[in-house]
Amino acid sequence: MNDAEKLARLEALIAETRDERALVVERMEKLKAQGKTKSATFQQLLARKMTLDAFMRAFEAHGLVQ
């Protein structure tokens, strides 16, 4: 794998992470509107959001995203 391929894969990973985070937040908002913030699903989504946030912070810390 050459550098261009690595860069393309990294950019795809960052885009997928952003997209998944947006979907997770959307699902959380729907559950929140239904008053289901204590549900197992909401808690799992919250944990996933926190994980995705950590990835994005790492990407930012390394100057990969703004």
Side-chain angles (χ1 to χ4, degrees):
M1 181 181 337
N2 63 36
D3 289 343
E5 291 170 333
K6 288 180 184 179
L7 179 58
R9 287 183 180 199
L10 179 60
E11 289 173 344
L13 174 63
I14 292 169
E16 289 172 17
T17 302
R18 273 192 188 128
D19 293 346
E20 183 180 351
R21 186 187 179 285
L23 290 173
V24 167
V25 169
E26 182 181 323
R27 289 182 64 197
M28 288 176 69
E29 289 299 323
K30 288 178 183 177
L31 288 171
K32 190 174 181 180
Q34 297 170 1
K36 296 183 179 182
T37 57
K38 295 185 187 246
S39 69
T41 301
F42 185 89
Q43 296 301 315
Q44 290 170 343
L45 290 170
L46 179 59
R48 185 64 184 158
K49 179 185 170 291
M50 292 172 68
T51 301
L52 294 167
D53 286 346
F55 282 129
M56 291 306 297
R57 281 192 305 275
F59 295 147
E60 290 170 4
H62 288 86
L64 300 171
V65 293
Q66 298 179 27

